[in-house]
Amino acid sequence: MMFGSINSSGAIIDVTRHGEASDILLPNQIDRVQKVAVDIGGSLAKVVYLTSGPRSQGGRLHFAAFETDNVEKCVSFIRTLLDSPSDTSENEPVIMATGGGAHRFRDLLNKELGVEIRVEDEMESLTAGLNFLIREVADEVFTYSEDTMQFVDAAADMFPYMLVNIGSGVSILKVTGDDEFERISGTSLGGGTLWGLLNLLTGVRSFDAMLEMTKTGDNAKVDMMVGDIYGTNYGRIGLKASNIASSMGGVYRKTLDKHFDDSDVARSILYMVSNNIGQIAYLNAQLHGIRHIYFGGYFIRGHPLTMHTLSYAINFWSKGEMRALFLRHEGFLGATGAFFIGERAKPATPDVALGVAPDVSQTLNEDKAPDVRRTRGRTYSFTENFSIAGAIADDAIGSLGMLDREPSKLEPLAQLVNTAKCPYTPDTVDLTHEPRQQEYWISAMQRNTNGLLDLADSGALPGCSDPSSRQRLSRFVSLYLTHLHKLQHRPLSYGAMSVRALLGLREQCLHEVGLEDIFAGVKKHETDEALNALPALLHEIDAMNECERPRVLLQNVLAGNMFDWGATQLRGALAEGSLDLDKARDQITWRPEFDNGADFVARIQQHTYSQAVVFVDNSGADVCLGVLPFVRFLLQQNTRVVLAANSRPALNDVTDRELVDIVHRARVIDPAFRTDMLSVCGTGSSGPCLDLRKLDARLVQTSQNADLVVIVGMGRAIHSNYYARFSCDSLKLAVFKNQMAADAASAHIYDALCKYERAVV
């Protein structure tokens, strides 16, 4: 069972075994395997491994699992990984191993693999893995009850928590901080109990087949229910007639010679094991005063009935005071933890050898070239990539992507307000709970994606004109549309569904098939034209009186934002070249509900900001004729400015590297673009939207003293961050270029958003 990929060029989806939760066949794998960790339990062996290659700047984490009874297959798989193209470093490969089988099969691993086997403590690995997943992976933690999956942001209030790790048996750990844990309890009644009893009673050997049987079973045919004893509910003590009074107890009460269906028996035993684990977990949480109870281990496998039973038990016994928390990577806690325990132990070494892109921040001044040497002491983060996704089991309600290692640590913007009183969520609309919007956006993405083929055929995308690029584009369309089809039927497969998630998935699919920047030619052409027009525009602005100038600058930022190839309504005009700044300005409408720009103008005429961080959007006219004149005005006010741009391409969005070049060219036009006052940083993002909790640490550091946050663009200020609040003044500038987005805000198409807000006190 494989989760993730190595090389997806030529990838096909194998539906012969797994249906929708399918494996991906990858015939052209050439990425280097850098490190492997394995957690060998009593029932299953789980593998986590890191590869490096062209599709991931800092490396990519993958997941795989094998039955321990067939551990030779696991060892053979690891040998295949080690036999892949070798790492460029001189380091000998090391296998990080944990779990009971790490000791039991150590000799086998040494003999067959011929590499160093470093055994890590099982409990330490479990907690390290869980801490990593909570902090690093979006929508990792969720609750589940009555067929409802609700994602939880658990990172803000992590400790203390209790981990109930359900493998063959059960271990219960109390975790009070990083590296602070103790095993407080456990039980021999675990996944192995279910597996063994059902094998004896039904003859079925496959764990997945056993879980499948439970779907159609009726445990009331073999269990003794409260109603069997009392004839009705026992309301005085809170028992319903449908509650189980005795697992399997109905067998002797009803008849001794009756034939019982295997599915009824399977469901009864699943309830028996899950209910008892839930009650033991509750009792320990109550004893130790813990409210957060995580259930992990490969026993759960994303199985809805199992999760519902555990949730019901915790809710029932705690009277709603506690809740069961589940994990999408539930079975890989130990292997993931062992991987990062080993990473922690490494001496500090530069990351440059791994192909990490140098920081482009503050390179506007050639005398201040950045020092790109950084250590591996977890100075990086991971983001989940669903372009090639698998599932932990056939009927799991969620999917697993690959974890791409980012070149830099991702941190929240210092000025972002994210408190219990004022919580931050990046997404304006949660499509999961908006079926009409969900249907609209998936359909819109499907049309938009097919439209890229038309653009390529028309010659509007110079980067996709050759046969090889055209083939990659067709592969992308097929890959992305497959994901959209899956999301139509399973909206929560890849976490909470939002416009940000759909747009981000599109960029991941483009990069995965080798199309790093399909709009590169378009951006270069539009930027050249815009920079040619910049001198005349600056002359026109300088001729205005000082009272009029700030308002016009805001209008130009909004007009420039109309040059957005992601907006389907404008794509035709952009392809024809018929849209200019004046026409764009004329299309925009200004309504007082969305425009309090006058307040900003009044403020800036009386107050000089110390530093502004400006999150930019599109290349071409947007950044050159809209943002840069506005930035020039701030610089003339003696405000230091940090320009924040995407670290990787997305649509026609400008990247940090492109923006450095643009600013240098603008400075030739006008020395007012002072490089001692102006810097460019990458956001760490590669999508049209923005999560302000996950920004490149170098940007966060550079802009830590900013007292003005400016966010430009529909993706960054409307689809995301519309409700974001800051501890300093903020200005959101965008145009409603999509009808559904406008409807959601009670706006009209092409309404301007000029939203100025004072600091949250």
Side-chain angles (χ1 to χ4, degrees):
M1 189 179 300
M2 291 280 298
F3 310 107
S5 72
I6 301 179
N7 182 342
S8 66
S9 58
I12 60 172
I13 298 178
D14 176 16
V15 296
T16 59
R17 291 181 297 153
H18 298 304
E20 232 177 322
S22 54
D23 285 352
I24 304 294
L25 304 184
L26 304 158
N28 302 320
Q29 192 278 105
I30 59 172
D31 288 12
R32 300 188 307 273
V33 173
Q34 296 182 322
K35 185 179 175 184
V36 180
V38 58
D39 174 13
I40 307 178
S43 304
L44 293 160
K46 288 77 67 177
V47 180
V48 172
Y49 60 100
L50 180 73
T51 63
S52 64
R55 273 158 294 281
S56 177
Q57 295 179 356
R60 175 171 285 177
L61 213 58
H62 310 259
F63 305 88
F66 306 84
E67 291 186 6
T68 301
D69 285 347
N70 296 318
V71 71
E72 292 81 6
K73 289 185 179 180
C74 177
V75 174
S76 176
F77 174 73
I78 295 174
R79 186 190 305 113
T80 301
L81 295 179
L82 297 177
D83 289 342
S84 67
S86 62
D87 192 353
T88 55
S89 72
E90 298 178 359
N91 297 330
E92 290 294 325
V94 176
I95 304 297
M96 314 302 299
T98 190
H103 302 275
R104 177 184 171 193
F105 296 107
R106 187 170 188 169
D107 290 343
L108 174 65
L109 293 171
N110 273 317
K111 177 182 176 182
E112 295 295 326
L113 301 177
V115 298
E116 179 186 353
I117 309 298
R118 188 178 301 163
V119 177
E120 301 293 346
D121 179 76
E122 182 177 4
M123 301 306 155
E124 184 180 3
S125 296
L126 287 170
T127 58
L130 179 51
N131 291 342
F132 166 81
L133 292 168
I134 292 174
R135 288 185 172 125
E136 293 286 345
V137 182
D139 295 335
E140 172 66 26
V141 180
F142 62 93
T143 60
Y144 188 85
S145 180
E146 301 290 346
D147 298 325
T148 300
M149 184 181 188
Q150 184 71 43
F151 292 101
V152 176
D153 183 4
D157 184 25
M158 276 181 63
F159 304 112
Y161 67 76
M162 196 172 77
L163 170 60
V164 183
N165 192 62
I166 313 173
S168 300
V170 179
S171 285
I172 300 179
L173 307 179
K174 175 184 176 181
V175 185
T176 54
D178 289 308
D179 302 320
E180 298 176 9
F181 64 89
E182 60 175 317
R183 187 181 189 274
I184 56 175
S185 187
T187 174
S188 60
L189 193 72
T193 308
L194 177 74
W195 203 330
L197 287 176
L198 285 183
N199 178 244
L200 285 173
L201 295 173
T202 69
V204 175
R205 290 193 56 81
S206 164
F207 195 72
D208 284 328
M210 292 175 183
L211 293 179
E212 185 67 26
M213 282 196 303
T214 65
K215 292 181 180 179
T216 57
D218 181 2
N219 67 296
K221 294 180 179 179
V222 293
D223 290 341
M224 182 186 295
M225 316 302 286
V226 169
D228 293 330
I229 301 173
Y230 294 99
T232 184
N233 300 333
Y234 193 167
R236 186 172 182 179
I237 60 174
L239 294 177
K240 298 179 181 178
S242 58
N243 288 147
I244 300 171
S246 174
S247 295
M248 304 293 289
V251 173
Y252 77 87
R253 277 287 301 268
K254 294 169 184 176
T255 178
L256 288 175
D257 56 3
K258 180 181 176 182
H259 172 74
F260 295 97
D261 190 84
D262 286 349
S263 62
D264 300 335
V265 173
R267 197 175 184 106
S268 171
I269 294 178
L270 177 65
Y271 279 154
M272 177 186 72
V273 173
S274 300
N275 278 325
N276 276 274
I277 293 173
Q279 185 175 18
I280 293 169
Y282 158 73
L283 291 172
N284 278 279
Q286 180 76 1
L287 180 64
H288 291 271
I290 296 175
R291 297 172 62 85
H292 305 313
I293 307 173
Y294 289 92
F295 289 90
Y298 220 80
F299 165 75
I300 303 171
R301 299 166 79 86
H303 187 239
L305 186 58
T306 305
M307 293 188 295
H308 171 73
T309 307
L310 291 168
S311 293
Y312 182 86
I314 295 297
N315 183 70
F316 177 84
W317 291 110
S318 72
K319 296 181 171 57
E321 293 295 315
M322 303 174 188
R323 58 181 179 174
L325 300 171
F326 301 98
L327 305 148
R328 287 191 294 113
H329 292 82
E330 64 196 28
F332 294 96
L333 302 185
T336 301
F339 184 97
F340 286 107
I341 290 173
E343 193 80 355
R344 259 190 342 228
K346 285 187 177 182
T349 54
D351 268 354
V352 176
L354 296 182
V356 175
D359 179 16
V360 301
S361 64
Q362 302 194 29
T363 55
L364 300 178
N365 189 334
E366 290 82 353
D367 296 331
K368 297 181 180 179
D371 182 358
V372 300
R373 294 173 299 170
R374 295 180 288 110
T375 65
R376 292 191 187 187
R378 288 297 308 283
T379 56
Y380 51 83
S381 292
F382 283 83
T383 57
E384 195 161 13
N385 185 330
F386 287 105
S387 58
I388 306 295
I392 201 165
D394 289 354
D395 65 345
I397 59 175
S399 296
L400 303 183
M402 306 161 289
L403 298 183
D404 285 344
R405 192 171 83 167
E406 301 297 333
S408 175
K409 186 72 175 173
L410 300 180
E411 298 177 349
L413 184 70
Q415 296 79 5
L416 178 67
V417 174
N418 186 14
T419 63
K421 184 178 179 181
C422 185
Y424 169 75
T425 178
D427 302 309
T428 304
V429 178
D430 183 354
L431 301 184
T432 305
H433 305 295
E434 297 286 346
R436 187 174 72 90
Q437 289 222 33
Q438 184 183 122
E439 181 181 358
Y440 168 85
W441 280 107
I442 290 179
S443 297
M445 295 297 176
Q446 290 169 332
R447 293 192 301 271
N448 193 289
T449 300
N450 285 315
L452 289 176
L453 293 174
D454 297 332
L455 284 177
D457 291 339
S458 69
L461 295 178
C464 294
S465 57
D466 63 283
S468 176
S469 296
R470 184 62 170 77
Q471 186 179 32
R472 287 194 186 96
L473 186 62
S474 296
R475 195 180 302 142
F476 153 72
V477 171
S478 176
L479 179 61
Y480 187 50
L481 291 182
T482 298
H483 284 297
L484 293 178
H485 177 74
K486 180 177 181 178
L487 289 171
Q488 282 180 314
H489 299 282
R490 295 187 177 184
L492 297 175
S493 290
Y494 305 151
M497 185 188 290
S498 64
V499 177
R500 177 174 60 94
L502 292 173
L503 291 172
L505 177 59
R506 178 179 63 188
E507 297 307 317
Q508 289 177 344
C509 291
L510 279 167
H511 297 162
E512 194 63 29
V513 301
L515 292 173
E516 184 69 15
D517 192 357
I518 63 174
F519 283 93
V522 171
K523 290 191 291 183
K524 183 180 184 307
H525 172 73
E526 291 188 348
T527 296
D528 290 343
E529 286 199 340
L531 286 173
N532 287 336
L534 182 59
L537 178 63
L538 295 179
H539 179 75
E540 179 185 329
I541 290 169
D542 289 342
M544 298 175 183
N545 66 63
E546 292 185 1
C547 294
E548 180 187 12
R549 189 178 302 151
R551 182 64 182 176
V552 171
L553 288 169
L554 294 179
Q555 292 171 350
N556 284 350
V557 173
L558 274 298
N561 197 239
M562 293 283 281
F563 290 77
D564 181 359
W565 283 80
T568 306
Q569 291 88 339
L570 295 170
R571 189 176 279 179
L574 292 171
E576 296 167 0
S578 59
L579 186 67
D580 60 34
L581 199 66
D582 290 333
K583 290 180 180 177
R585 192 185 294 111
D586 291 342
Q587 280 188 264
I588 297 173
T589 53
W590 299 80
R591 299 171 61 201
E593 303 97 302
F594 306 102
D595 171 29
N596 67 341
D599 294 342
F600 174 76
V601 171
R603 173 68 172 164
I604 207 167
Q605 288 175 335
Q606 299 174 359
H607 173 78
T608 297
Y609 288 101
S610 173
Q611 185 187 51
V613 55
V614 182
F615 292 90
V616 301
D617 190 9
N618 304 301
S619 192
D622 189 344
V623 70
C624 297
L625 303 181
V627 172
L628 284 185
F630 175 72
V631 166
R632 175 174 173 263
F633 171 78
L634 293 175
L635 293 170
Q636 290 170 334
Q637 298 263 52
N638 268 341
T639 299
R640 303 180 70 87
V641 177
V642 180
L643 290 173
N646 266 13
S647 298
R648 293 186 72 183
L651 292 170
N652 66 316
D653 292 2
V654 66
T655 66
D656 52 357
R657 295 179 183 277
E658 293 165 344
L659 191 51
V660 167
D661 178 67
I662 289 170
V663 172
H664 276 304
R665 293 169 68 183
R667 187 174 182 233
V668 173
I669 295 170
D670 189 335
F673 293 103
R674 299 168 50 187
T675 55
D676 61 322
M677 296 282 288
L678 178 61
S679 60
V680 174
C681 287
T683 60
S685 174
S686 58
C689 300
L690 195 61
D691 184 346
L692 294 172
R693 298 167 302 184
K694 294 180 177 294
L695 298 176
D696 191 308
R698 295 165 293 195
L699 166 61
V700 174
Q701 175 68 24
T702 304
S703 62
Q704 63 179 332
N705 296 319
D707 50 357
L708 175 65
V709 173
V710 181
I711 305 178
V712 179
M714 185 169 69
R716 292 165 182 80
I718 293 178
H719 293 324
S720 58
N721 301 305
Y722 187 78
Y723 297 113
R725 299 301 305 275
F726 303 91
S727 60
C728 66
D729 292 0
S730 63
L731 181 64
K732 298 168 188 172
L733 300 169
V735 179
F736 289 94
K737 292 166 288 191
N738 175 276
Q739 188 64 58
M740 183 60 75
D743 290 345
S746 299
H748 299 151
I749 193 77
Y750 301 135
D751 274 354
L753 175 70
C754 185
K755 186 178 182 181
Y756 174 62
E757 293 177 310
R758 297 300 302 273
V760 173
V761 179

